[in-house]
Amino acid sequence: MQENGIVQSPIGQLGIDRQNFPFRLSWTHYQVLMTIENPEERSFYEQAAISETWNVQTLKRQYHSSLYERLALSRDKDAVMAMTREGATPYRPADILKSPYVLEFAGLDDKSGYHENDLESAVLNKMQDFLLEMGKGFLFEKRQRRFTFNDKNFYCDLVLYNRFLRCYVLIDFKVDELTHQDLGQMQMYVNYYDRYEIVEGENPMIGILMCKQSDEALVELTLPKDANIYAREYKLYLPDKKLLQAKLRQWLEETEASVSEQVR
């Protein structure tokens, strides 16, 4: 409809105040959201799509990669509920972790042999997708960051920065079995940044070892309890959404049962 040569939108024709209009996404976004039965999960994706300005393709990718379940399994119950209201803004180091990370965009066949530099190169070629998978507020700084000690050179695969946590995040990819040497090396990288790189107002470093199979028992025995270093699995294919949903339901039920026993 035109008035004085100006085309009016249907919203304007209906007399709806644009500033107070409740829908902040496109109709196609809401078509995707309406397929999500769980109201908490649906609220999470709506909040995330708004705050992160996801297009429809990104919303679909995050839903099909089970972002909600992967984030929820890395948090406590109260944090999960807060996440459904506020999206996935990180407030503490643990908030940036997923279980697992999904790197299907790298285009590598999980059944074929590949090396760590193959995975690193594939991720760098898809850096925008990788930063989106890492989460909110991540910025890329450097690849193959060199550390030199006693005339020996060591190289960390990626250096990122998270503007919400105000800290650097170091990432090393591991395609072989995780070892205590891997953990010790990451501890060395983190110590170096904490002592020589961070400036006033920044928080301590976070180190993430992305491996095909993590070993929490090895991490717990090798590192001090206050270490900001984590071993997390990655997948080169989309995870089984129903399996992750079942794991999440089981975890929530066990948490509620534990709280009930404590109250008694």
Side-chain angles (χ1 to χ4, degrees):
M1 177 178 178
Q2 290 190 0
E3 183 176 330
N4 297 328
I6 300 175
V7 178
Q8 289 190 333
S9 70
I11 294 173
Q13 295 175 31
L14 293 172
I16 297 175
D17 182 354
R18 285 179 178 276
Q19 291 184 344
N20 296 320
F21 189 59
F23 302 111
R24 299 171 62 185
L25 297 168
S26 73
W27 170 241
T28 311
H29 282 86
Y30 285 109
Q31 285 182 307
V32 176
L33 292 169
M34 283 189 295
T35 65
I36 304 175
E37 296 181 2
N38 184 326
E40 288 84 11
E41 183 180 5
R42 184 169 60 247
S43 175
F44 163 76
Y45 284 111
E46 181 180 15
Q47 294 298 324
I50 291 171
S51 64
E52 294 294 290
T53 62
W54 288 347
N55 59 27
V56 174
Q57 181 180 359
T58 300
L59 172 60
K60 288 180 178 179
R61 189 261 170 189
Q62 297 291 34
Y63 172 67
H64 290 302
S65 70
S66 305
L67 177 63
Y68 173 75
E69 289 85 1
R70 291 185 291 127
L71 283 173
L73 287 168
S74 300
R75 287 158 170 72
D76 58 51
K77 190 166 182 284
D78 290 337
V80 172
M81 298 311 296
M83 186 178 72
T84 65
R85 298 188 301 269
E86 303 167 8
T89 300
Y91 298 103
R92 54 182 183 165
D95 289 342
I96 69 173
L97 302 176
K98 296 184 178 73
S99 179
Y101 288 90
V102 179
L103 309 180
E104 91 290 349
F105 52 81
L108 295 175
D109 186 356
D110 195 42
K111 297 179 181 179
S112 64
Y114 60 92
H115 300 287
E116 290 165 8
N117 58 347
D118 296 326
L119 180 57
E120 179 195 342
S121 296
V123 164
L124 285 168
N125 289 334
K126 296 283 187 178
M127 181 54 66
Q128 183 176 353
D129 296 302
F130 180 69
L131 292 178
L132 184 63
E133 172 62 16
M134 287 302 298
K136 194 170 184 178
F138 277 94
L139 308 171
F140 170 71
E141 179 171 283
K142 192 175 181 64
R143 68 173 297 190
Q144 288 297 306
R145 172 64 160 87
R146 186 177 67 182
F147 297 83
T148 302
F149 301 98
N150 296 328
D151 298 324
K152 293 182 180 179
N153 293 324
F154 303 87
Y155 296 88
C156 182
D157 291 332
L158 293 177
V159 180
L160 306 181
Y161 191 85
N162 188 281
R163 63 188 184 90
F164 291 102
L165 295 178
R166 294 185 61 80
C167 72
Y168 285 99
V169 180
L170 299 181
I171 296 175
D172 247 359
F173 296 107
K174 300 296 174 184
V175 300
D176 298 319
E177 182 179 359
L178 183 69
T179 68
H180 68 277
Q181 290 95 334
D182 297 328
L183 293 164
Q185 183 170 284
M186 178 58 78
Q187 180 73 74
M188 179 178 65
Y189 296 161
V190 167
N191 289 345
Y192 179 90
Y193 259 84
D194 282 342
R195 294 173 188 177
Y196 304 114
E197 294 289 338
I198 63 174
V199 299
E200 185 177 355
E202 291 182 331
N203 292 313
M205 284 285 311
I206 298 172
I208 300 178
L209 288 154
M210 287 199 181
C211 42
K212 296 186 74 172
Q213 184 172 357
S214 64
D215 188 336
E216 293 304 316
L218 179 65
V219 175
E220 185 176 346
L221 285 173
T222 304
L223 299 175
K225 292 183 178 181
D226 59 350
N228 272 345
I229 297 175
Y230 306 89
R232 283 295 183 270
E233 293 183 3
Y234 67 84
K235 302 295 183 185
L236 296 176
Y237 52 87
L238 294 178
D240 187 325
K241 192 172 184 67
K242 291 183 178 180
L243 177 60
L244 284 177
Q245 288 175 336
K247 288 176 63 177
L248 179 57
R249 283 196 299 270
Q250 180 184 2
W251 175 77
L252 290 171
E253 290 170 358
E254 291 175 352
T255 302
E256 290 174 352
S258 177
V259 171
S260 299
E261 290 182 4
Q262 292 176 6
V263 171
R264 293 175 188 174

